[in-house]
Amino acid sequence: MTEWAGRTAVEIAAAVREKRVTPREAVAAHLARIERLDGRIGAFRVVRAKAALTEADEVAARADLAELPLAGVPVAVKDNLAVRGESTRVGSAATPDAPAGEDHVTVARLRAAGAVVVGLTNVPELCVFGTTEGVHGVSRNPWDTSRTAGGSSGGSAAAVAAGMVPLALGNDGMGSLRIPAANCGLVTVKPGHGVVPAGIGEGDWFGMSENGPLATTVADARLMLSVLADAGTDARTGAGAGLAEPGRREPRRIAVSVRSPLAGVSVSGPYVRAAREAAGALTGAGHRVRRADPPYPLSLGLTSLAHWTAGTAVDAQGLDSRLLARRTRVHAAVGRRFLAGVRGGTAREELRRRLEPFFAEYDVLLTPALARRSPKAGPWHERGWLSNLLVNTNYSPLTPPWNLTGWPAAVVPFGTLPSGAPTAVQLVGRPGTEGELLSLAEQLEELRPWRRTAPLT
């Protein structure tokens, strides 16, 4: 008997289309794995076991089954995106428990492509922080359960890394896809602005938040991104048309930088090593790789803080502050002081203008994905705001600039920590280069294959 839990989305969808497995069988295998493992991991707030099996049967009955790019593929959805019939709690006791009347557009696109939503995944309250814990539970890194999965798409990343689903939907406003992907050994792409519909919270954090995939292979990430972007997909090959299509492997001009964009924050040895070794691998593959640091402004830290907190201030409007965790209340209160400046300011446009000459000289920027390993898992929501601010800033300073610019950025597993948990690198490009970033990620995957899922039993 074939074990379908732990297989890639490309493999599962092909088997369903060819009727080697039914959608119900594929979904049931993953539900069984969720039941067995999630008590230790804390990936899910809601598991839709009965509904998912019913929906799997509906996929099996579709007349277009043989053409569906995600036929019968179980997926998880981050709990800040609406899933029809389920509440959207965004990690908080202050949000309404009423079921959503319709799917978010990205969820609808996944369903239209044949995917089956098996559950909603845990997030930190209002998706603020780079660790995932709160009133709905703690999400742990399946590679090292003493550590957080990251955030804010922490539950989604943990679910994929544990093999509970092959794909999960998350989003990224300051690194919320890339941080947990780097912690959990996954591939992700934060698409550039406008590539995938956003509609996250109350204004997408001023247009900085983007929806994107979490996957264990580049092929799966490419396939899901193509569906989310509605770019058209060849169901037989899993190759998306347009932006997500595998491209020609032309030599690229790649800058490698191990400098933190934020003054006073250093990058630890394992992540420096990962970036340098990835640079060496790409050099060996024929790319023109040079050490070069982007001209980050000294004001970047304040710009990041202003936008990060102001986004939370908007999302917290209308919620009962007595039901919010103290760290969230303080974050929103700080953000209210920045709101007018963020709404009317020019800092993001100035940052883009400052960085554009660098990206005229180089096609892609390669950096470490994180500065150091993730913090210990635990009740960070019960700790003070400053403690949370410092731990987030010190371990993830490399992701926020690319939300501020609105440019695409991908994370790829590369190397390991002394504990055996993964390290990772980040690839950044100009607008419209998602396919190029995926092509480079695929080369890294071929040159340094990684173990796709954590060794859980």
Side-chain angles (χ1 to χ4, degrees), residues 88-128:
T88 309
R89 299 307 304 272
V90 202
S92 182
T95 50
D97 198 23
E102 59 183 24
D103 290 327
H104 185 276
V105 60
T106 53
V107 177
R109 287 182 178 182
L110 293 174
R111 289 193 198 269
V116 178
V117 178
V118 299
L120 287 85
T121 56
N122 275 321
V123 299
E125 187 170 58
L126 304 190
C127 298
V128 175

Side-chain angles (χ1 to χ4, degrees), residues 224-247:
M224 186 173 179
L225 179 62
S226 181
V227 168
L228 294 174
D230 200 22
T233 304
D234 184 334
R236 295 167 298 172
T237 65
L243 67 90
E245 188 172 37

Side-chain angles (χ1 to χ4, degrees), residues 77-102:
V77 174
K78 185 176 180 178
D79 191 23
N80 67 340
L81 297 171
V83 173
R84 183 181 64 250
E86 307 291 345
S87 59
T88 309
R89 299 307 304 272
V90 202
S92 182
T95 50
D97 198 23
E102 59 183 24

Side-chain angles (χ1 to χ4, degrees), residues 23 27 30-31 34 44 46-56 58-59 70-79 81-87 103-104 106-121 156 164-169 224:
V27 169
H30 288 82
L31 288 171
I34 292 169
F44 287 91
V46 170
V47 178
R48 307 176 67 248
K50 184 176 179 180
L53 290 171
T54 298
E55 291 166 17
E58 293 170 355
V59 170
L70 293 176
V73 174
V75 300
V77 174
K78 185 176 180 178
D79 191 23
L81 297 171
V83 173
R84 183 181 64 250
E86 307 291 345
S87 59
D103 290 327
H104 185 276
T106 53
V107 177
R109 287 182 178 182
L110 293 174
R111 289 193 198 269
V116 178
V117 178
V118 299
L120 287 85
T121 56
S156 284
M164 292 188 273
V165 285
L167 293 174
L169 177 59
M224 186 173 179

Side-chain angles (χ1 to χ4, degrees), residues 279-296:
L282 291 173
T283 299
H287 298 284
R288 297 188 292 274
V289 182
R290 298 288 183 271
R291 172 70 188 270
D293 294 327
Y296 301 118

Side-chain angles (χ1 to χ4, degrees), residues 300-340:
L300 182 59
L302 180 59
T303 301
S304 298
L305 178 66
H307 286 76
W308 181 23
T309 56
T312 301
V314 173
D315 285 347
Q317 289 173 357
L319 299 180
D320 186 343
S321 64
R322 296 170 298 179
L323 298 177
L324 295 173
R326 183 173 179 272
R327 68 175 182 179
T328 310
R329 293 199 304 271
V330 174
H331 205 75
V334 171
R336 284 193 287 274
R337 302 185 179 192
F338 287 120
L339 266 174

